[in-house]
Amino acid sequence: MSYKASIDIGSNSILLLICSVEGDQVTVIENESNVTGLGRDLDKNGAFLQEAIDDSLEVLKEYSEICLKRNLDPSQVIVTATEASRVAVNAIEFIELVEKNTGFKVQVITGEGEAHYSAMGILFDKKIQQPVITIMDIGGASTELIKVDTQKGKVIESFSMPVGCVRMNNWNEAGEMKEKLAEIFSHYAEGLTSMKTDTLYCVAGTMTSIGNIYLGHQEFVEKEVNGLCFEAIVLDELFDRYKEHGPEDMLAKYPFLGKRSHTIHSGLRLAIAVLNKLKSRKVYISTYGLRYGTLISGGIDNEYIVKR
């Protein structure tokens, strides 16, 4: 038996996946998620805040220790960074700090790479039988929409919009959410039209958290969230129910949210807006995503690595 590991450094959360691999059999051993808000105030400052760097570094140090306990060399772990690390002016300095302090070698991937590996991850979910599906991956700073041929395991088309739950939150605080979102939807109007689908398959922390809230769980229950399907109107009902709840209220009611309690409203608003644009009537939640795709693929293809 051998272990493989992958880490997804997102704009809002950092996730670790360790699996045992025996032939075609892949079993999850460790599955960790921590919200660090690496991309907080990124549009305003153009750089990672020192506090966000410190928080992220502490989580990655913990992940390095977990890997070492599993006899995994940190330098062999597949570590990807996404939208925030594509645009932050001090991303290289952050990546160098990570390698120096943890041994992890971070690869910044393109939006196309995010789409490809998120698609490969969701195809790990054997419950999905439809020949063609559309996936939504809401991150902290970007949202990927991906149309996939599930039979061939191939991305048909995809694009990445520079809007996620952290950016939405920052725009809302600045009083410019509606204008910014309308601008982005106008720019990606053609792509949004081509992605129209009755059922939208959703991955990543915002949507899995919303699924857990829908189930009413105070702690995250992955086995019940994965494969969860409900009518899209449920999102509107959840927003109406909790729109007056502040972060502290949401955290008290749903402790599993942690720091995500600060962005869950913005993520929910973004999900509703995208679903409306895609004319989707149903939502399918999958807990498989980018980190599953990179781990199963065994590495990152050069074409998906951001050249600096």
Side-chain angles (χ1 to χ4, degrees):
M1 180 187 296
S2 63
Y3 290 139
K4 291 185 178 180
S6 65
I7 293 174
D8 171 10
I9 301 176
S11 307
N12 194 39
S13 58
I14 301 180
L15 305 100
L16 166 69
L17 177 69
I18 298 178
C19 293
S20 67
V21 181
E22 288 187 281
D24 294 332
Q25 187 67 34
V26 179
T27 304
V28 175
I29 302 299
E30 302 271 3
N31 198 354
E32 298 284 336
S33 174
N34 284 274
V35 175
T36 66
L38 182 60
R40 72 187 87 153
D41 293 329
L42 183 57
D43 288 339
K44 182 169 66 177
N45 300 303
F48 295 141
L49 299 176
Q50 188 59 50
E51 181 185 4
I53 290 174
D54 293 342
D55 290 348
S56 298
L57 203 53
E58 283 306 307
V59 166
L60 287 164
K61 286 178 182 177
E62 291 174 13
Y63 288 176
S64 181
E65 291 173 6
I66 292 171
C67 289
L68 288 169
K69 286 177 182 176
R70 295 285 182 183
N71 294 317
L72 280 165
D73 181 346
S75 68
Q76 300 303 308
V77 176
I78 302 166
V79 186
T80 57
T82 52
E83 172 68 3
S85 296
R86 290 195 288 266
V87 301
V89 295
N90 57 346
I92 292 177
E93 289 87 342
F94 168 67
I95 289 167
E96 289 174 348
L97 269 177
V98 171
E99 183 168 358
K100 179 181 177 181
N101 286 275
T102 68
F104 293 134
K105 295 181 178 180
V106 182
Q107 296 173 301
V108 181
I109 59 173
T110 63
E112 292 77 14
E114 271 192 82
H116 173 78
Y117 291 110
S118 291
M120 295 307 101
I122 200 171
L123 293 180
F124 186 70
D125 186 348
K126 302 308 178 187
K127 297 176 185 176
I128 297 174
Q129 301 295 321
Q130 288 72 13
V132 177
I133 63 172
T134 299
I135 302 166
M136 177 175 71
D137 181 344
I138 293 180
S142 67
T143 295
E144 280 66 49
L145 288 171
I146 314 145
K147 187 176 289 186
V148 181
D149 182 328
T150 63
Q151 308 301 309
K152 296 180 180 178
K154 181 180 179 182
V155 174
I156 299 170
E157 61 178 307
S158 69
F159 62 94
S160 178
M161 298 184 291
V163 56
C165 61
V166 175
R167 272 185 165 147
M168 283 280 283
N169 213 50
N170 292 339
W171 295 342
N172 187 46
E173 291 171 354
E176 53 186 17
M177 178 191 287
K178 289 183 180 179
E179 294 79 5
K180 289 279 192 181
L181 193 57
E183 191 177 303
I184 286 172
F185 282 168
S186 175
H187 182 78
Y188 291 94
E190 186 176 338
L192 288 163
T193 298
S194 72
M195 290 286 180
K196 285 182 179 177
T197 181
D198 186 68
T199 300
L200 187 61
Y201 290 76
C202 304
V203 297
T206 290
M207 291 306 292
T208 56
S209 295
I210 289 170
N212 203 54
I213 289 172
Y214 167 69
L215 292 171
H217 296 316
Q218 290 196 320
E219 301 304 320
F220 191 77
V221 186
E222 182 170 351
K223 65 180 180 180
E224 293 187 24
V225 173
N226 188 54
L228 179 65
C229 192
F230 52 79
E231 298 293 321
I233 195 171
V234 164
L235 298 183
D236 296 280
E237 293 168 354
L238 288 174
F239 183 76
D240 288 340
R241 186 184 308 167
Y242 296 117
K243 63 184 177 183
E244 302 301 328
H245 287 55
E248 294 78 12
D249 300 321
M250 292 302 292
L251 185 59
K253 193 168 184 64
Y254 300 107
F256 78 90
L257 285 172
K259 292 181 181 179
R260 199 181 295 279
S261 61
H262 292 274
T263 60
I264 195 66
H265 281 129
S266 297
L268 183 52
R269 291 179 74 171
L270 176 56
I272 291 168
V274 175
L275 279 156
N276 286 338
K277 285 291 179 182
L278 300 185
K279 308 295 183 186
S280 301
R281 295 187 307 110
K282 294 180 181 178
V283 172
Y284 181 101
I285 307 288
S286 174
T287 57
Y288 304 132
L290 178 62
R291 67 197 185 284
Y292 281 87
T294 57
L295 185 144
I296 293 165
S297 299
I300 309 300
D301 289 342
N302 284 331
E303 66 177 300
Y304 296 129
I305 298 174
V306 172
K307 306 299 188 294
R308 292 185 178 274

